Amino acid sequence: MSEQKIEFYKGPAGGWGALRSVTATLLKQDIPVKGAKTLLSANQPDGFDCPGCAWPDRNHASTFEFCENGVKAVAAEATARRAGPELFAAHTVAQLAQQSDFWLEDQGRLTHPMVYDAASDKYLPIAWDDAFALVARHLNALPDPNQAIFYTSGRASNEAAFLYQLFVREYGTNNFPDCSNMCHEPSGSGMRPQIGVGKGTVTLEDFEKTDAIFIFGQNPGTNHPRMLGELRAAHKRGAKIVSFNPLRERGLERFADPQDKFEMATLTSTAISTHYFQLRVGGDMAVVAGMMKHLIDRQDAGESVLDLDFISTHTSGFSDVAEGLRGETWAVLEEESGLSEAQIRAAADIYAEAKSAIFCWGMGITQHQNSVGTIQMLVNLLMMRGNIGRPGAGPCPVRGHSNVQGDRTMGIWEKPPAALLDRLGEVFGFEPPRAHGWDTVESIAAMRDGKGKVFFALGGNFAAATPDTYETWKALRRCDLTVHVTTKLNRSHVVHGREALILPCLGRTEIDIQAGGPQGVTVEDSMSMVHISTGINPPASEHLLSEPAIVARLAAATIGHSSNTPWLWLVEDYARIRDKIEAVFADFKDFNERVAVPGGFRLRNTASERVWTTPTKKANFVAHAVPRDTPSHRARARFAAKGDTVVFTLLTTRSHDQYNTTIYGHDDRYRGVFGQRRVVFIHEADIRALGLKDGDWVDIQTVWDDAGDGAQVRRADRFKLVAYDIPRGNLAAYYPETNPLVPLDSVALNAGTPASKSIPVILTPHTAPVAAKADHDASAYAIG
Ligand SMILES: Nc1nc2c(c(=O)[nH]1)N[C@H]1C(S)=C(S)[C@@H](COP(=O)(O)OP(=O)(O)OC[C@H]3O[C@@H](n4cnc5c(=O)[nH]c(N)nc54)[C@H](O)[C@@H]3O)O[C@H]1N2
Ligand SMILES: Nc1nc2c(c(=O)[nH]1)N[C@H]1C(S)=C(S)[C@@H](COP(=O)(O)OP(=O)(O)OC[C@H]3O[C@@H](n4cnc5c(=O)[nH]c(N)nc54)[C@H](O)[C@@H]3O)O[C@H]1N2
Ligand SMILES: [Mo]
């Protein structure tokens, strides 16, 4: 573990720092030379899809693209470390629960299916068939299939996801919470009614052609490092790159490409953003409204900045939007965005001068109360200049998990369209359940209230990724049975139901052999490219099953007697599953043939052809007023009367050394944090106003609508203040440690996504003494 220090980072993103970090990663995972071979097979036509993120690769066939965090993700899976039955024999679950998330992950790959034994408080090995029989017994004993909940994390392949949703629907429920509910759900909810598709419309070719790329609430230097290559190339050919972010993120400022011999040898780098707007947390809708207002002003003044032709031919609702904007005052837009009128007008001028523009966005946009509205305003702004369905232009929500988009395409969705259910019913000969199921937040509430009784997870780390941590833990512990299909030990395995199973599976880097020979799976990236992924490493243990095999055997054990689906036959050869996918989804015509071509194929995206599959058969402008009633507004109003207590808005985010809830290490190099994670970034004037100093320790407490006598207290204690370049009144800290602060009810309107980027909080000095290194020894969530 590196020494604890805070040290401003002066270098570019990437560069030698990234190469050094890769060496350290391989050492940590005990990966010898063989590891290098593994890494070279990432994103190659005959290799596996990198499990790091959903950013597409150039034709999926070019030379190896170096990506530091891709290496971390691959190495974490290819690690030589093993968490076998000895580990579980040596520790009770109560003891394991005392360990940090970092420690749990660090034990290595799980090797055997394990079952919880209440008498000894230990996990014991169990045979696969017994494990499936146990789950089947629970599922078949439920009086109502809607008491079972089936979670999915976005690494599951198309084949696994397709079988899973089929099994669960044949079993009888649409309870499909997934990581997308916490992630880009608002992007789909916002865009579908507007343009008929819930996905981005652009491809990498559009990045080559565009005049301007606007990046809202995204940190690609850490989360999508290969995106920096595209941004760098765009910058070099003179495109404008405009970032909106409360934090100055290094990867959005400068990048040295580790594959560029000149940059590496000369220690030079390429600037990324041409313009950087440090807006207030949650201020995006105000900025976008201001930009739209400015375009209308210019148009009214006789200029031609709107694409009136596109607006009249292709859209409806523009006049309502224009009317709404006239009602917004600059005073409010400045106040809400934290930017000046001049800055917003300048951003709009860059947009107006660009012949084509791409808007990218990430979690800084989606995880707020008004995220759906903000996304619809972004699309409105694109449509005002016809920036959709033509080269170099369009919306680009940048997805997280490597197959999160594909899982939704395959039907992992608690609100399935009727047409999908009709088709499943026809192809597989059953009557699918029609009632919508529970999303992630609703599932937690259902388990808490005793309505959800069996919780099954295909990947992920539900106990750590979700909001209101201690409420969620109570909910999971109320379950009769919790089951996790997984590769590594994590928090969700030690926060379990009355009975519990850990089912270890193959990772994407591993060779998957079924009766029909070695198998590949397919995934869909953030730009709707579908391609094959084939593992190259021997499995971490001979006892592992693939995810499709686990789903098929579970289905056979649970509903085999009544189902028409030949579950075990399907997994003998995944091409058979792909044939079924083709039978259900028209867009997958000739699936097996098309995916056999190196690089795969792109799924049809009607909006990118200017075909609008909306009820109006047009692209729809949707008006939104800039919100002035968010949880932060309400909390500030409540405290305004109480003198000098400052209500901050806290955003929760990822460090450079983590993959969501997987903590690889304790450094956040680009933000200058080393050897620790319990830090909170804050403006230095705010530190002084609190009467504190840089480096002091504070406790964080949420101010929520349910506050009052007997209300739930949401706290996370012992965070070190780090003076940082962030707007006054805003804070930033890492997740998952801060998830106890996110109220379960604090969600995006019309999407249900936890508002984990805008939590109203107050800070108080931490009074108890803080032991050296305390922040990573204890359980990551410990209060006090
Ligand atoms: N190495 C690595 N790669 C990953 C992941 C990982 O954990 N590690 N996670 C994967 C997943 S599932 C996802 S969804 C993506 C996440 O990738 P991102 O979307 O980049 O998510 P975050 O790290 O949460 O960063 C959000 C960014 O938004 C900014 N922000 C916060 N609030 C606001 C706001 O109100 N307005 C604006 N404009 N900006 C704001 C933050 O300062 C930060 O720069 O990455 C994927 N890739
Ligand atoms: N406060 C706050 N909360 C957030 C967010 C935030 O920004 N702030 N971000 C949200 C977002 S965007 C997301 S996507 C969610 C993430 O939620 P999840 O997807 O549930 O969480 P992960 O941490 O990605 O899951 C990691 C676990 O997946 C398992 N795993 C890894 N590879 C495989 C595999 O190949 N197969 C199987 N079966 N299991 C595997 C490992 O056991 C590992 O521990 O978190 C959300 N929570
Ligand atoms: Mo995500």
Side-chain angles (χ1 to χ4, degrees):
M1 185 153 326
S2 48
E3 181 199 342
Q4 279 189 4
K5 61 180 178 185
I6 305 290
E7 192 172 274
F8 182 62
Y9 182 80
K10 300 183 207 69
W16 288 104
L19 286 188
R20 269 194 296 274
S21 151
V22 161
T23 317
T25 299
L26 294 179
L27 281 174
K28 177 187 163 229
Q29 302 292 0
D30 299 331
I31 296 182
V33 197
K34 192 189 79 191
K37 178 168 161 262
T38 308
L39 301 177
L40 292 172
S41 300
N43 294 339
Q44 292 301 297
D46 54 350
F48 55 86
D49 182 69
C50 177
C53 73
W55 187 258
D57 13 87
R58 289 236 147 241
N59 299 325
H60 201 72
S62 63
T63 52
F64 168 70
E65 269 187 278
F66 174 84
C67 170
E68 174 194 350
N69 279 348
V71 169
K72 287 184 201 157
V74 171
E77 191 172 293
T79 181
R81 293 161 173 258
R82 296 291 177 269
E86 325 74 60
L87 175 78
F88 295 97
H91 298 87
T92 62
V93 173
Q95 287 166 343
L96 292 174
Q98 289 307 308
Q99 300 293 342
S100 67
D101 287 348
F102 174 80
W103 188 94
L104 295 175
E105 146 81 16
D106 206 34
Q107 302 314 298
R109 290 288 299 277
L110 292 157
T111 60
H112 289 65
M114 306 294 292
V115 63
Y116 180 66
D117 173 54
S120 60
D121 188 35
K122 285 184 175 172
Y123 274 104
L124 310 175
I126 182 173
W128 277 107
D129 279 334
D130 295 340
F132 295 130
L134 176 64
V135 185
R137 198 158 63 240
H138 273 275
L139 289 177
N140 286 328
L142 291 178
D144 178 353
N146 292 313
Q147 293 177 343
I149 295 170
F150 296 86
Y151 179 69
T152 313
S153 171
R155 269 200 204 186
S157 64
N158 287 338
E159 289 75 2
F162 181 80
L163 283 191
Y164 187 54
Q165 61 84 35
L166 179 64
F167 156 55
V168 171
R169 292 196 165 111
E170 286 199 28
Y171 166 70
T173 182
N174 286 308
N175 284 339
F176 283 112
D178 72 341
C179 70
S180 194
N181 295 147
M182 297 182 266
C183 189
H184 267 291
E185 189 73 55
S187 303
S189 308
M191 291 192 297
R192 241 174 276 113
Q194 274 187 298
I195 59 171
V197 294
K199 303 178 182 180
T201 64
V202 300
T203 64
L204 287 181
E205 284 67 56
D206 292 310
F207 276 76
E208 291 166 14
K209 293 180 183 144
T210 192
D211 281 353
I213 302 167
F214 288 73
I215 305 171
F216 296 87
Q218 220 208 314
N219 181 23
T222 287
N223 299 316
H224 304 89
R226 286 175 301 110
M227 180 176 170
L228 293 189
E230 302 301 329
L231 296 178
R232 172 177 179 269
H235 186 112
K236 284 195 170 206
R237 67 176 174 77
K240 298 281 186 292
I241 297 179
V242 188
S243 292
F244 295 88
N245 201 307
L247 302 180
R248 288 205 79 91
E249 301 285 26
R250 201 57 190 144
L252 290 169
E253 296 185 317
R254 292 206 78 80
F255 173 53
D257 185 348
Q259 276 176 204
D260 184 315
K261 292 200 181 69
F262 179 78
E263 284 188 350
M264 293 300 277
T266 55
L267 297 180
T268 51
S269 56
T270 306
I272 294 294
S273 297
T274 51
H275 303 80
Y276 206 114
F277 294 101
Q278 246 176 309
L279 80 179
R280 231 170 238 154
V281 172
D284 301 83
M285 201 199 291
V287 172
V288 177
M291 289 173 71
M292 293 165 72
K293 212 172 154 61
H294 181 68
L295 293 189
I296 290 177
D297 285 352
R298 280 182 63 175
Q299 188 79 16
D300 287 349
E303 292 184 72
S304 169
V305 291
L306 300 184
D307 185 341
L308 296 178
D309 204 33
F310 175 83
I311 294 173
S312 64
T313 322
H314 286 282
T315 73
S316 78
F318 177 64
S319 53
D320 288 350
V321 168
E323 193 49 43
L325 289 168
R326 289 182 218 284
E328 301 283 4
T329 65
W330 282 104
V332 168
L333 299 180
E334 288 190 325
E335 166 65 22
E336 295 303 322
S337 68
L339 300 181
S340 68
E341 177 182 340
Q343 283 175 304
I344 298 174
R345 287 191 189 271
D349 282 335
I350 302 166
Y351 178 62
E353 288 353 304
K355 285 201 203 66
S356 56
I358 293 174
F359 286 3
C360 300
W361 68 87
M363 297 302 101
I365 292 296
T366 63
Q367 297 172 336
H368 296 280
Q369 173 188 277
N370 295 88
S371 53
V372 172
T374 303
I375 289 158
Q376 294 192 323
M377 289 290 268
L378 286 169
V379 175
N380 288 340
L381 178 54
L382 282 170
M383 295 197 302
M384 283 171 81
R385 289 184 44 76
N387 271 317
I388 185 165
R390 63 179 170 85
C396 179
V398 182
R399 308 268 163 185
H401 267 295
S402 49
N403 197 39
V404 63
Q405 188 159 313
D407 290 346
R408 194 46 78 81
T409 306
M410 290 296 110
I412 302 292
W413 197 358
E414 76 283 357
K415 300 179 183 65
L420 167 66
L421 298 178
D422 294 344
R423 201 61 206 131
L424 285 171
E426 280 158 30
V427 173
F428 293 96
F430 73 108
E431 191 40 61
R434 296 282 162 174
H436 286 176
W438 293 319
D439 66 11
T440 293
V441 164
E442 290 162 346
S443 294
I444 296 167
M447 290 185 276
R448 177 196 62 198
D449 299 342
K451 293 186 215 145
K453 294 184 181 301
V454 173
F455 177 83
F456 186 101
L458 186 64
N461 186 358
F462 194 86
T466 50
D468 238 345
T469 307
Y470 305 115
E471 288 300 291
T472 298
W473 291 5
K474 277 188 225 156
L476 287 167
R477 287 180 173 131
R478 276 200 78 176
C479 288
D480 294 340
L481 174 70
T482 51
V483 186
H484 291 273
V485 179
T486 182
T487 50
K488 292 270 191 85
L489 188 59
N490 69 36
R491 183 71 37 200
S492 300
H493 312 143
V494 296
V495 179
H496 55 83
R498 203 162 41 74
E499 295 190 74
L501 285 165
I502 302 176
L503 305 180
C505 65
L506 292 175
R508 218 182 261 168
T509 55
E510 289 164 333
I511 298 165
D512 177 356
I513 298 194
Q514 303 296 332
Q519 304 296 320
V521 294
T522 59
V523 293
E524 174 186 340
D525 66 30
S526 205
M527 296 183 185
S528 305
M529 297 294 302
V530 179
H531 50 71
I532 204 113
S533 168
T534 316
I536 58 148
N537 285 338
S541 145
E542 58 180 338
H543 306 290
L544 304 184
L545 292 182
S546 75
E547 288 177 327
I550 290 174
V551 174
R553 286 176 63 177
L554 177 60
T558 310
I559 53 171
H561 53 283
S562 58
S563 166
N564 298 316
T565 305
W567 297 101
L568 302 178
W569 179 82
L570 282 174
V571 280
E572 285 177 4
D573 180 351
Y574 298 172
R576 294 173 184 165
I577 306 176
R578 287 189 285 274
D579 283 339
K580 295 292 182 197
I581 293 173
E582 174 175 345
V584 171
F585 301 102
D587 286 349
F588 284 83
K589 188 164 169 2
D590 300 327
F591 189 9
N592 277 305
E593 292 75 23
R594 283 197 292 161
V595 88
V597 176
F601 63 97
R602 181 160 193 248
L603 285 173
R604 179 166 185 219
N605 183 304
T606 42
S608 69
E609 302 163 14
R610 295 194 166 178
V611 171
W612 315 109
T613 56
T614 59
T616 58
K617 299 279 177 268
K618 299 259 184 191
N620 296 309
F621 280 92
V622 184
H624 290 276
V626 172
R628 304 188 70 193
D629 179 31
T630 67
S632 285
H633 286 91
R634 294 196 292 275
R636 283 199 300 267
R638 232 180 32 243
F639 275 80
K642 295 194 191 168
D644 53 5
T645 306
V646 188
V647 177
F648 292 92
T649 301
L650 168 73
L651 74 87
T652 61
T653 190
R654 294 152 173 79
S655 81
H656 195 61
D657 266 3
Q658 75 182 81
Y659 192 90
N660 298 335
T661 67
T662 301
I663 311 303
Y664 299 134
H666 294 84
D667 296 350
D668 191 9
R669 197 166 72 241
Y670 301 150
R671 299 198 187 106
V673 175
F674 298 91
Q676 56 199 320
R677 287 180 52 85
R678 284 189 100 81
V679 295
V680 53
F681 300 102
I682 178 171
H683 194 287
E684 58 182 353
D686 280 335
I687 302 184
R688 267 184 271 121
L690 289 169
L692 298 172
K693 53 186 195 318
D694 196 10
D696 279 354
W697 294 85
V698 292
D699 298 337
I700 313 177
Q701 185 167 333
T702 305
V703 185
W704 183 238
D705 299 359
D706 63 4
D709 291 343
Q712 190 189 334
V713 177
R714 296 183 182 85
R715 293 174 47 177
D717 285 2
R718 240 178 347 95
F719 284 76
K720 192 190 282 176
L721 293 174
V722 173
Y724 206 75
D725 191 354
I726 181 173
R728 288 204 65 178
N730 290 167
L731 304 172
Y734 304 129
Y735 114 93
E737 290 87 339
T738 45
N739 258 337
L741 295 168
V742 183
L744 196 59
D745 304 334
S746 180
V747 295
L749 302 169
N750 300 316
T753 301
S756 48
K757 290 287 187 281
S758 48
I759 316 165
V761 298
I762 54 174
L763 300 180
T764 48
H766 180 75
T767 43
V770 176
K773 305 222 176 251
D775 69 296
H776 47 70
D777 292 340
S779 162
Y781 312 94
I783 302 183

